[in-house]
Amino acid sequence: MDGTKAHLRRQRMRALAGLGAALMLTAPAGGPALADTGAPTGKDTTPLAAQYAVPTATMIRIAPTVSAVETIALDPPAAPEEPAMRSLGNGIASYYGRRFHGRPTASGERFDMNGLTAAHRTLPFGSKVRVTNPRTGKSVVVRINDRGPFSGKRTIDLSRAAAEEIGLVRAGHGQVELELFEE
């Protein structure tokens, strides 16, 4: 019977090690660690969650043998880097949709009025542009895949979906601010 208990204990230890079990433990600054076995004094009225809220954490990895515990300090994740942007100034945007849906664009791909694309006279195909409607404060990122607009003093023609994102569909056109993503 003792052999069976030892066998079961070994199986549990292998399963625990095989799962790569890891615990996240934090301790309050200047307070007791979670592993503290001291009895509570009853005098602390701070909520339990606040007692154990710490900006950094410690990870404890349980090794195959219970007596070996490895402690690793975790660094906070790095903030995502903002892409470089270059202002293209202000201009008038319009949109095109159903009448051109499915037709080839100047880049050779088919126009999709539901995609976030746009036409611009000079920007290279594949360029990403943030178009902001200052009236609504909404913006959308579009990919240049066509040439135009060729009428009036318009600067950019958006797909219908892009125009809907920034609130230009009802008016048909409007003042926008353009920013080019630099790679």
Side-chain angles (χ1 to χ4, degrees), residues 104-155:
T105 62
S107 67
E109 66 182 84
R110 299 257 176 221
F111 174 66
D112 178 9
M113 69 181 209
N114 301 310
L116 297 178
T117 58
H120 191 274
R121 289 186 192 109
T122 58
L123 290 175
F125 294 133
S127 297
K128 303 263 182 170
V129 178
R130 178 184 294 152
V131 182
T132 304
N133 182 345
R135 198 182 95 253
T136 63
K138 295 180 180 180
S139 64
V140 65
V141 176
V142 294
R143 181 178 49 85
I144 303 298
N145 72 339
D146 204 0
R147 291 291 172 231
F150 297 112
S151 62
K153 295 183 179 187
R154 292 177 288 155
T155 307

Side-chain angles (χ1 to χ4, degrees), residues 26-33 44 49-56:
T26 60
D44 192 2
Q51 290 179 25
Y52 295 102
V54 176
T56 60

Side-chain angles (χ1 to χ4, degrees), residues 18 20 23 58 70 84-85 87 89 91 97 106 109 111 119 133 150-151 154 159 170 182:
L23 300 174
T58 302
E70 179 183 355
M85 306 283 286
S87 175
E109 66 182 84
F111 174 66
N133 182 345
F150 297 112
S151 62
R154 292 177 288 155
S159 64
R170 185 175 224 175
E182 293 185 336

Side-chain angles (χ1 to χ4, degrees), residues 59-84:
M59 183 170 104
I60 297 179
R61 189 177 306 143
I62 299 175
T65 60
V66 176
S67 62
V69 176
E70 179 183 355
T71 304
I72 302 167
L74 300 176
D75 293 329
E81 198 173 299
E82 277 290 316

Side-chain angles (χ1 to χ4, degrees), residues 5 11 14 16 24 30 34 41 43 48 53 60 65 78 81 91 94 103 125 142 145 156 158 169 172 179:
K5 286 182 182 178
Q11 279 185 326
R14 283 189 200 120
L16 185 60
M24 294 292 288
L34 287 178
T41 61
K43 295 178 184 175
L48 189 59
I60 297 179
T65 60
E81 198 173 299
S94 57
R103 291 187 183 180
F125 294 133
V142 294
N145 72 339
I156 192 166
L158 304 172
V169 172
E179 295 173 288

